[in-house]
Amino acid sequence: MGLPALEFSDCYLDSPQFRDRLKSHELELDKTNKFIKELIKDGKALIQALKNLSTAKRKFAESLNEFKFQCIGDAETDDEICIGDRLVTSCISPQIENADDVLIMPLERFRKEQISAAKEAKKKYDKETEKYCAVLEKHLSLSAKKKEAHLHEADSQVDHVRQHFYEVSLEYVFKVQEVQERKMFDFVEPLLAFLQGLFTYYHHGYELAKDFNHFKTDLTISIQNTRNRFESTRSEVECLMRKMKENPHEHKSISHDTMEGYLFVQEKRSFVSTWVKHYCTYHREPKRVTMVLFDQKSGGKVGEEESFTLKSCTRRKTDSIEKRFCFDVEAVDRPGVITMQALSEEDRRLWMEAMDGREPVLAQLDVVGFNVVKKFIYAVETRGIDEQGLYRIVGVNSRVQKLLGLAMDPKTCADVELDSTEWEIKTITSAIKYYLRMLPAPLMTYQYQRSFIKAAKLDNQEARITEIHSIIHRLPEKNRQMLDLLTKHLANVASHHQQNLMTVANLGVVFGPTLLRPQEETVAAIMDIKFQNIVVEILIENHERIFKDMPVPGGGQANLQLNLQPRRKSAESKAPSCSERPLTLFHTPTHTQKGRQEHNSLFTTHTLLRCSNNHGNPSSQSLSISARALYACKAEHISELSFIAGTIFENVHPSREPGWLEGILDGRKGLIPENYVEFL
């Protein structure tokens, strides 16, 4: 496990867990600083002690071996693993004339400029923490009976101090993570240059340099890849930090299901009421509130954790209590009313909103979108498949939006001529990317986002492909069809990489963050971009295997085509309008396949409609439909059923979830993928 990602949203919460994660980064920086000092000392000894070359080599190699790079996140890329392993196993050679310039000065510069800057930022952060806590406690002690003008002035002063504290906290977190990421190249690059110089200094340097050449090439590529990823993720992280500064309230809440932060809890002792600061967490699903005493100044817990189940939450009016921003909560498992004070009116609103709850909004792909994408792909493949920088070079945003608007409007779609010079290829490719980003959920869905990332982190390439293959066929049918359409096109683009310079890796960089975008924009999600890219690379390189063959238990592939699976008859069978008219760009099923598909679809639709029309309640139907599993499936959620090929389901009927059926297996009701079964 590497270092945990520091989320900018945690700067506003300033939780005990955040402080612990921040400490782990600070300890890692101290460790790195000490290590660099020791490495510089050993390097100087190596340069000066040519007579003791073997001893110096052994000590320097041991120093490298004792240090292990810690990446941010729970896994390393192949390039990052390569960098660490290559340095440990490398052989140290005698000094060169400019060894100080190559090794010592860059290491000293990194230590002084980067690590020292992080230490200065920590001093500023600690100072602002103490100042903010003192001002906040003083402010919250003000009586609500004071004049309104005095209270407004005090609020403004606290807001100013709070905002400054948040900005300092954001900048410190940004700097700490920047230094951790910079180690992977600013620190390793001087070592690589020094090693190369030492190798070529040998009297028999030609033979050594020749043996070292493949190692140097691999490590240089790994360093460059790591640097490129750093530059892309750094800009994303910096952009996220700026968003936090500009709109802090939009990023405070961690999720729709959790609320956490500091609250002052009223405690009555004898005849006196005191207000004690707690760090509180509320989870909506179990309606569980957790409180722990915590001192921000010392960074340590003061008491034991206390939790209870929420029964009700009521806003307190100012005239009912001397303190402002208060609300009362009642617990199921403890008597009495607990009065809590939020940090501001906005903070109280967020707590109240979290405890009230709200429903998510769902959306789906439609027929118009499919036909627009097909039309765009056809234009790209017939007009600009060899254009350099295809999909990397972006079009003018206003032109892109205009094209997409015209193409998706039934009134104007027929007038859009993509084979003319009116629309540049970069405008068309940008429209494809813009359409995918406009979808309410990513094409590979939020549900399986973590599953894809986990699959990309597997050690074995074949295991990665097999797992991704399996997950792809759990996606909703329309998502999988659109993904099939897109990746088949991208495979065609990559096959022309000698002309358009768009390799599979380049396409992964372009489409990874779009197809697998996370539900929340966090630092951890940004760190996973490199694995999103790997997933897309695997889809492109193994398109035929993943989309044309169904996954089976044991990692093999069935030789069954997707167009042989049962499908329900849909509204697409009617005479299409111009916006629905599909383009014949891809493989069309044979006459026999079409006949079987239509037969199964008509049977399925007719039977299911008969059952679901029985007072709208499939469970009350007189006819019990059975179905047999064509393929094995492992449940990803508690609402789904796990089964093997040949399993028989009872009482199968339509589900509210698109692409899913509901049935009973061994007395348990659950969801079944629609295209995994045939009806009996």
Side-chain angles (χ1 to χ4, degrees):
M1 289 294 291
L3 292 171
L6 298 175
E7 301 297 345
F8 288 130
S9 58
D10 285 344
C11 293
Y12 295 95
L13 295 173
D14 199 18
S15 67
Q17 294 81 6
F18 167 68
R19 290 285 180 151
D20 287 340
R21 291 193 291 271
L22 187 56
K23 280 184 180 179
S24 67
H25 280 260
E26 292 169 349
L27 290 173
E28 177 62 19
L29 287 181
D30 289 338
K31 178 183 174 183
T32 301
N33 190 36
K34 293 176 182 178
F35 170 74
I36 292 176
K37 288 182 178 180
E38 186 66 23
L39 191 62
I40 291 174
K41 178 182 176 182
D42 293 339
K44 289 180 178 178
L46 176 63
I47 294 169
Q48 297 173 4
L50 290 175
K51 293 181 180 180
N52 270 332
L53 179 59
S54 60
T55 303
K57 285 173 54 179
R58 190 162 50 252
K59 181 67 172 67
F60 194 70
E62 288 173 356
S63 296
L64 287 177
N65 195 35
E66 290 171 0
F67 184 76
K68 172 65 177 176
F69 285 118
Q70 294 292 331
C71 67
I72 297 178
D74 57 0
E76 296 175 296
T77 63
D78 294 341
D79 292 321
E80 291 168 347
I81 295 172
C82 173
I83 290 174
D85 291 344
R86 295 291 187 182
L87 284 174
V88 170
T89 58
S90 60
C91 178
I92 309 303
S93 303
Q95 75 167 33
I96 55 176
E97 293 181 359
N98 62 340
D100 284 334
D101 296 336
V102 172
L103 178 65
I104 306 301
M105 291 179 64
L107 293 182
E108 286 281 10
R109 185 165 56 249
F110 177 81
R111 188 176 67 84
K112 292 178 180 179
E113 293 180 1
Q114 298 299 326
I115 298 181
S116 295
K119 288 185 176 181
E120 288 299 318
K122 174 175 170 50
K123 292 179 182 178
K124 185 177 180 182
Y125 175 66
D126 290 341
K127 180 180 178 181
E128 289 300 321
T129 298
E130 186 172 354
K131 178 181 177 181
Y132 168 63
C133 291
V135 171
L136 183 62
E137 290 179 4
K138 180 180 177 181
H139 175 66
L140 292 175
S141 298
L142 287 176
S143 172
K145 297 178 180 179
K146 289 185 176 294
K147 293 183 178 180
E148 192 66 20
H150 182 76
L151 291 176
H152 282 308
E153 181 180 355
D155 287 348
S156 298
Q157 181 183 2
V158 169
D159 287 342
H160 178 74
V161 173
R162 180 188 294 116
Q163 182 62 28
H164 187 61
F165 167 70
Y166 288 162
E167 290 180 1
V168 170
S169 179
L170 288 169
E171 290 169 357
Y172 178 48
V173 168
F174 175 76
K175 185 60 182 177
V176 166
Q177 297 198 122
E178 180 186 23
V179 175
Q180 299 286 19
E181 288 291 292
R182 277 186 177 276
K183 289 189 304 185
M184 300 302 287
F185 55 90
D186 275 357
F187 176 63
V188 178
E189 220 165 24
L191 292 175
L192 177 61
F194 179 63
L195 293 176
Q196 174 64 13
L198 292 179
F199 276 122
T200 57
Y201 183 74
Y202 274 111
H203 179 67
H204 51 290
Y206 174 78
E207 289 80 8
L208 288 176
K210 184 177 180 180
D211 294 338
F212 178 69
N213 190 55
H214 72 282
F215 154 74
K216 181 192 69 173
T217 302
D218 292 345
L219 190 52
T220 301
I221 292 173
S222 294
I223 291 173
Q224 187 58 45
N225 289 342
T226 305
R227 180 191 292 274
N228 292 340
R229 293 189 184 107
F230 165 79
E231 293 296 338
S232 63
T233 56
R234 183 187 184 280
S235 61
E236 293 285 343
V237 172
E238 188 174 16
C239 179
L240 178 57
M241 183 185 71
R242 286 198 299 268
K243 289 180 181 178
M244 290 288 202
K245 286 185 176 181
E246 294 169 0
N247 301 293
H249 297 298
E250 294 181 6
H251 300 274
K252 277 189 177 181
S253 181
I254 294 177
S255 73
H256 295 293
D257 301 317
T258 305
M259 179 65 187
E260 56 183 312
Y262 286 99
L263 292 171
F264 283 79
V265 179
Q266 186 183 44
E267 295 184 357
K268 296 181 179 180
R269 299 172 183 172
S270 299
F271 299 99
V272 180
S273 294
T274 60
W275 294 85
V276 183
K277 184 162 63 174
H278 291 71
Y279 191 82
C280 302
T281 305
Y282 174 69
H283 295 280
R284 178 176 297 163
E285 186 61 30
K287 303 189 73 174
R288 199 71 181 167
V289 179
T290 304
M291 305 189 305
V292 61
L293 281 168
F294 187 80
D295 184 5
Q296 285 176 279
K297 299 176 184 178
S298 64
K301 293 182 180 178
V302 181
E304 295 297 323
E305 186 175 277
E306 179 185 1
S307 65
F308 57 86
T309 301
L310 181 69
K311 179 180 180 182
S312 65
C313 176
T314 307
R315 177 186 294 270
R316 286 292 294 266
K317 296 182 179 180
T318 304
D319 55 6
S320 68
I321 192 171
E322 184 176 336
K323 297 281 188 179
R324 297 190 297 164
F325 319 136
C326 293
F327 58 94
D328 293 336
V329 296
E330 289 185 274
V332 175
D333 44 1
R334 61 177 285 179
V337 175
I338 306 171
T339 300
M340 296 180 170
Q341 182 186 26
L343 305 184
S344 65
E345 186 62 42
E346 173 65 14
D347 193 37
R348 177 167 65 173
R349 184 189 66 80
L350 291 174
W351 279 102
M352 299 289 294
E353 192 173 82
M355 293 177 178
D356 289 340
R358 61 179 81 152
E359 292 294 324
V361 179
L362 302 177
Q364 297 180 6
L365 295 165
D366 58 12
V367 176
V368 176
F370 270 83
N371 287 283
V372 167
V373 172
K374 289 178 182 179
K375 190 173 184 178
F376 287 174
I377 288 176
Y378 180 80
V380 172
E381 295 191 346
T382 55
R383 287 182 52 200
I385 195 72
D386 292 332
E387 280 200 12
Q388 291 188 3
L390 194 66
Y391 285 107
R392 263 196 182 279
I393 300 176
V394 298
V396 179
N397 188 51
S398 58
R399 294 280 296 165
V400 172
Q401 294 190 33
K402 179 180 179 181
L403 171 59
L404 201 55
L406 292 173
M408 298 187 73
D409 188 345
K411 297 179 181 179
T412 58
C413 64
D415 299 327
V416 178
E417 298 293 337
L418 296 180
D419 58 345
S420 67
T421 57
E422 179 183 358
W423 303 106
E424 296 177 286
I425 291 297
K426 64 181 181 181
T427 303
I428 300 174
T429 55
S430 295
I432 294 176
K433 293 186 291 184
Y434 188 80
Y435 166 79
L436 295 173
R437 286 193 294 268
M438 278 201 319
L439 295 175
L443 204 53
M444 298 172 79
T445 74
Y446 294 129
Q447 179 183 359
Y448 295 111
Q449 202 261 356
R450 293 307 310 166
S451 299
F452 281 113
I453 296 299
K454 184 177 179 181
K457 294 178 180 179
L458 294 174
D459 295 333
N460 182 271
Q461 180 69 4
E462 181 60 26
R464 296 176 187 173
I465 298 172
T466 301
E467 183 62 17
I468 290 173
H469 185 188
S470 175
I471 301 169
I472 285 294
H473 288 274
R474 298 178 204 151
L475 292 174
E477 181 179 349
K478 289 186 178 180
N479 294 62
R480 187 174 62 255
Q481 288 177 347
M482 179 63 80
L483 196 59
D484 182 6
L485 178 68
L486 179 65
T487 50
K488 181 178 181 180
H489 166 61
L490 296 182
N492 190 16
V493 172
S495 68
H496 293 74
H497 71 273
Q498 292 184 343
Q499 292 79 32
N500 57 37
L501 307 182
M502 292 303 293
T503 62
V504 171
N506 290 338
L507 292 170
V509 170
V510 173
F511 284 91
T514 298
L515 299 180
L516 269 171
R517 71 178 187 269
Q519 195 161 8
E520 288 185 300
E521 191 178 20
T522 64
V523 174
I526 293 174
M527 293 304 168
D528 277 340
I529 288 177
K530 50 195 174 186
F531 296 103
Q532 295 171 3
N533 302 347
I534 290 173
V535 173
V536 175
E537 292 175 25
I538 289 174
L539 291 180
I540 296 173
E541 290 176 334
N542 303 275
H543 171 266
E544 290 294 323
R545 169 180 171 181
I546 289 176
F547 289 92
K548 302 307 177 187
D549 294 338
M550 290 296 296
V552 296
Q557 277 74 39
N559 294 321
L560 296 174
Q561 299 296 319
L562 288 181
N563 53 25
L564 295 182
Q565 305 312 313
R567 296 285 188 269
R568 288 183 295 174
K569 194 79 171 177
S570 69
E572 297 176 27
S573 61
K574 70 180 187 303
S577 64
C578 67
S579 62
E580 299 174 331
R581 196 157 44 242
L583 298 177
T584 309
L585 305 178
F586 307 99
H587 173 70
T588 304
T590 62
H591 178 74
T592 305
Q593 293 171 338
K594 285 183 178 179
R596 178 181 174 183
Q597 179 179 357
E598 290 177 3
H599 173 77
N600 286 336
S601 298
L602 287 171
F603 170 76
T604 303
T605 304
H606 175 69
T607 309
L608 292 178
L609 286 177
R610 284 175 56 197
C611 298
S612 61
N613 285 337
N614 188 2
H615 305 292
N617 184 3
S619 62
S620 65
Q621 62 198 25
S622 58
L623 173 63
S624 176
I625 301 177
S626 299
R628 178 190 294 113
L630 296 174
Y631 319 104
C633 179
K634 182 178 180 181
E636 289 280 337
H637 190 270
I638 192 172
S639 63
E640 301 173 12
L641 295 176
S642 294
F643 50 87
I644 62 174
T647 299
I648 302 297
F649 305 97
E650 299 296 333
N651 194 20
V652 180
H653 54 272
S655 166
R656 294 182 179 179
E657 296 290 336
W660 295 80
L661 301 172
E662 193 173 82
I664 297 177
L665 175 61
D666 296 331
R668 180 173 175 264
K669 181 183 293 186
L671 296 176
I672 311 163
E674 182 181 9
N675 59 332
Y676 271 47
V677 301
E678 65 177 0
F679 288 88
L680 305 179

